[in-house]
Amino acid sequence: MRILSGIQPSGKIHLGNYFGMMKPALELQKIGEAFLFIADYHALTTVTDPAFLRAAIKDVAVDYLACGLDTEKTVFYRQSDVPEVQELAWLLSNITPMGLLERCHSFKDKTAKGIAANHGLFAYPVLMAADILIMQTNTVPVGRDQKQHVEVTRDIAIKFNNQYGEVFTIPAPSIRDEVAVVPGLDGQKMSKSYNNTIEIYGDPKQMEKKIMSIVTDSKTVEDPKDPETCNVFALYKLFAGDEQRRDMEERYRKGGMGYGQAKKELAEMFDAYFTPFRQKREELLRHPDYVDEVLRKGAEKAREEACKTMRLARRAVGLE
Ligand code: ADP
Ligand code: TRP
């Protein structure tokens, strides 16, 4: 089974990215052949500062490597090191109906907010389809917000195969219900764009402050509380084992525990969980050559795979 996912280098990694996408992808690397990449071409749809982009690409590489990416099992590369994806995106563009792209949330939401759309934003899902199809991917671990893009990819792949013969494996999204939408400090989906994130490599003291500021209802310490509707509990259960989760649930329902206490315990779990990753990250920052070498080898392997698919695709459409 081939697994593939990508992350944009567009800011600091938060709990939503980690539990929604990175951790599931890293777990899948145990059962299949994983391809993970830095979606730097995609980042150009939002990032316009070259210095920021350059730094963000380096950051995200280190961030990933520090949280359990096994370079023996996973091909880790930069999207722009595989220019064949652009060629495939063009082939796919010519069979992609406008209507399919007009229906995509990524495009609809931005234009609804009055952001002037350019062609890059409109064609974003076609490039994403090229990323996925060029590696003959079976499974794409993502958060729920990316589900539609994987469905568009399936539609494009089916259409291409019908029109030109079987070239592409038809992929499916892999979305874990329990982490499909990790809530942010304010209870909305955690997202860089909502400014409600807890960054996994953020300064521990600052992150503790953020955790203490998570929005709750106004129940007093004595009141029984509902864990199901509480943002603090939603984050707590991402870290907790079964027993810890049940114990916390009971304390919520019984009353006698304030939200402050639950937040404090969440902050402790957060810290214990990410401290080893933070240390690994510090070490990697001292060895930039190692990180460059991992990406160079990843690019080599990724291109080899991409070129195999491109030979089939070029032949299928009549370019060869
Ligand atoms: P952001 O919304 O902060 O800009 P991205 O769009 O860069 O995050 O998301 C990168 C990956 O992380 C995607 O696979 C996305 O589905 C996942 N992801 C982002 N935020 C969340 C969240 N709050 N819950 C679950 N998954 C998320
Ligand atoms: N669009 C994804 C995001 O914003 C990133 C991405 C690009 C991706 N290409 C991909 C994810 C291919 C999975 C598969 O999060």
Side-chain angles (χ1 to χ4, degrees):
M1 180 173 70
R2 184 159 292 176
I3 301 139
L4 172 138
S5 197
I7 187 157
Q8 292 198 48
S10 49
K12 306 228 175 315
I13 288 174
H14 55 71
L15 287 181
N17 302 141
Y18 178 74
F19 284 106
M21 193 277 258
M22 290 166 91
K23 186 163 178 269
L26 295 175
E27 275 165 11
L28 286 174
Q29 75 185 351
K30 293 185 203 133
I31 56 165
E33 200 187 355
F35 282 65
L36 281 176
F37 68 94
I38 302 170
D40 50 2
Y41 282 143
H42 274 113
L44 289 172
T45 61
T46 48
V47 182
T48 51
D49 176 349
F52 178 91
L53 182 60
R54 225 167 270 129
I57 292 168
K58 286 208 155 56
D59 275 353
V60 82
V62 171
D63 290 352
Y64 246 119
L65 286 171
C67 68
L69 190 147
D70 180 345
T71 55
E72 295 297 313
K73 295 203 178 110
T74 297
V75 181
F76 185 45
Y77 62 101
R78 278 172 66 157
Q79 185 184 31
S80 64
D81 279 339
V82 187
E84 288 77 13
V85 296
Q86 289 295 346
E87 186 184 0
L88 181 57
W90 180 248
L91 303 192
L92 301 178
S93 282
N94 288 292
I95 54 143
T96 305
M98 294 286 283
L100 191 63
L101 301 180
E102 275 159 0
R103 283 197 294 279
C104 284
H105 304 305
S106 51
F107 170 71
K108 274 206 316 206
D109 293 354
K110 292 210 168 123
T111 45
K113 279 190 201 140
I115 299 170
N118 57 30
H119 176 251
L121 183 66
F122 187 66
Y124 183 113
V126 182
L127 179 59
M128 186 156 158
D131 293 327
I132 296 170
L133 300 179
I134 208 161
M135 299 304 172
Q136 304 287 2
T137 305
N138 303 102
T139 301
V140 188
V142 279
R144 190 163 287 151
D145 58 339
Q146 295 297 320
K147 182 168 179 243
Q148 190 185 36
H149 288 150
V150 183
E151 284 163 0
V152 166
T153 302
R154 286 172 64 91
D155 287 352
I156 294 176
I158 290 168
K159 187 142 190 262
F160 189 102
N161 284 354
N162 281 341
Q163 193 163 321
Y164 292 115
E166 295 294 314
V167 171
F168 299 118
T169 303
I170 309 298
S174 154
I175 298 171
R176 296 245 203 109
D177 272 345
E178 69 279 16
V179 290
V181 185
V182 175
L185 301 176
D186 54 0
Q188 290 190 80
K189 171 192 173 245
M190 187 177 287
S191 170
K192 289 184 281 281
S193 13
Y194 301 151
N195 205 9
N196 63 356
T197 57
I198 301 171
E199 292 88 40
I200 71 172
Y201 297 115
D203 171 66
K205 277 269 157 295
Q206 248 175 323
M207 293 310 111
E208 190 184 333
K209 262 201 196 142
K210 282 195 173 193
I211 290 172
M212 297 312 286
S213 78
I214 295 171
V215 173
T216 57
D217 60 30
S218 53
K219 292 209 169 76
T220 65
V221 172
E222 289 72 33
D223 289 335
K225 301 173 182 64
D226 181 5
E228 297 308 323
T229 57
C230 178
N231 298 324
V232 182
F233 185 75
L235 296 177
Y236 183 89
K237 68 181 183 199
L238 297 171
F239 296 96
D242 285 349
E243 212 171 297
Q244 269 173 317
R245 198 195 65 236
R246 274 196 297 273
D247 174 63
M248 181 58 93
E249 238 165 353
E250 239 169 67
R251 286 192 283 154
Y252 261 74
R253 295 194 202 283
K254 219 165 56 195
M257 179 192 68
Y259 288 120
Q261 177 62 27
K263 289 177 181 177
K264 212 171 128 251
E265 290 181 35
L266 169 61
E268 281 164 10
M269 300 248 255
F270 171 84
D271 204 42
Y273 192 96
F274 288 113
T275 295
F277 293 175
R278 226 174 272 137
Q279 287 163 348
K280 178 89 199 284
R281 186 169 178 277
E282 295 298 318
E283 193 190 312
L284 288 165
L285 287 172
R286 286 193 293 273
H287 298 97
D289 291 353
Y290 168 78
V291 178
D292 289 347
E293 182 58 13
V294 168
L295 289 173
R296 197 193 56 72
K297 279 201 192 131
E300 213 173 274
K301 181 85 206 301
R303 272 196 97 172
E304 204 179 292
E305 290 302 307
C307 287
K308 275 193 223 158
T309 305
M310 280 319 293
R311 267 196 297 275
L312 299 176
R314 288 172 63 92
R315 198 167 302 147
V317 299
L319 287 173
E320 272 171 25

